[in-house]
């Protein structure tokens, strides 16, 4: 590949992720087979990621500008959100309709895999009082890790962020 083609390809990706953003999340899982099935659904169907690679020891999904998600085998001890460490992971969606569509896909995925513990829905889509318009669905992965898909209107952030930090003022 010529450097010109490479440069234009890189430029077409847009700016790199901002400083301080999360590059990737790496999770240890109790059952690699079940977790690959779950995270392949979660990453591809709900977040629009692509499979970056998969082996017996590691799988990773990725979309440029977003946080990559990787899994690898761990112990059989399941995670609980109130133990020290991770409570839950929340991922942005573009609008409320996407949250509702994701919920429909999640419930269908769990129903199609009945008899295999791939997780469960904790709370159907609803508006929460964290910020105005905060709309989310909560569910778990096969190891009990709580996941959230959320849409928050931009206006809600403006109400909670000092004006001097708004991007438009920089």
């Amino acid at each position: 590949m010529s450097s010109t083609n490479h440069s234009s390809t890189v430029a077409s990706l847009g700016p790199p992720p901002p400083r301080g953003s999360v590059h990737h999340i790496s999770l240890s899982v109790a059952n690699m087979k079940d977790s690959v099935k779950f995270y392949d659904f979660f990453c591809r169907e709900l977040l629009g990621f692509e499979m970056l690679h998969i082996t017996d020891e590691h799988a990773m999904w990725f979309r440029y500008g977003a946080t990559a998600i990787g899994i690898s085998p761990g112990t059989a001890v399941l995670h609980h959100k109130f133990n020290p460490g991770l409570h839950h992971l929340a991922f942005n969606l573009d609008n409320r309709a996407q949250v509702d569509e994701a919920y429909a896909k999640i419930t269908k995925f769990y129903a199609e895999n009945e008899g295999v513990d791939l997780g469960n829905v904790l709370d159907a889509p609803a508006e929460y009082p964290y910020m105005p318009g905060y709309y989310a669905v909560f569910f778990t992965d096969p190891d009990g890790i709580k996941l959230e898909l959320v849409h928050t209107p931009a206006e809600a952030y403006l109400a909670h962020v000092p004006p001097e930090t708004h991007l438009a003022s920089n």
Side-chain angles (χ1 to χ4, degrees), residues 44-63:
R44 289 182 193 234
E45 294 295 320
L46 303 180
L47 300 179
F49 287 25
E50 294 296 324
M51 170 75 72
L52 189 61
H53 71 262
I54 183 168
T55 68
D56 291 342
E57 297 299 316
H58 192 257
M60 184 166 274
W61 294 264
F62 169 83
R63 189 183 80 228

Side-chain angles (χ1 to χ4, degrees), residues 70-156:
I71 61 172
S72 55
T75 67
V77 178
L78 297 183
H79 176 77
H80 190 277
K81 66 183 179 181
F82 292 124
N83 288 343
L86 179 72
H87 183 274
H88 74 280
L89 297 170
F91 297 87
N92 287 306
L93 294 181
D94 294 332
N95 53 56
R96 291 171 72 113
Q98 286 183 352
V99 174
D100 291 333
E101 291 165 13
Y103 174 66
K105 289 179 180 181
I106 293 163
T107 55
K108 181 180 178 190
F109 175 77
Y110 288 147
E112 290 173 349
N113 291 283
E114 191 174 348
V116 180
D117 189 6
L118 296 177
N120 62 305
V121 173
L122 298 173
D123 296 295
E127 195 160 316
Y128 292 89
Y130 312 129
M131 297 173 87
Y134 193 105
Y135 189 72
V137 59
F138 297 91
F139 54 104
T140 63
D141 80 350
D143 292 302
I145 295 175
K146 183 178 176 180
L147 301 169
E148 173 184 0
L149 296 174
V150 59
H151 169 68
T152 305
E155 299 80 25

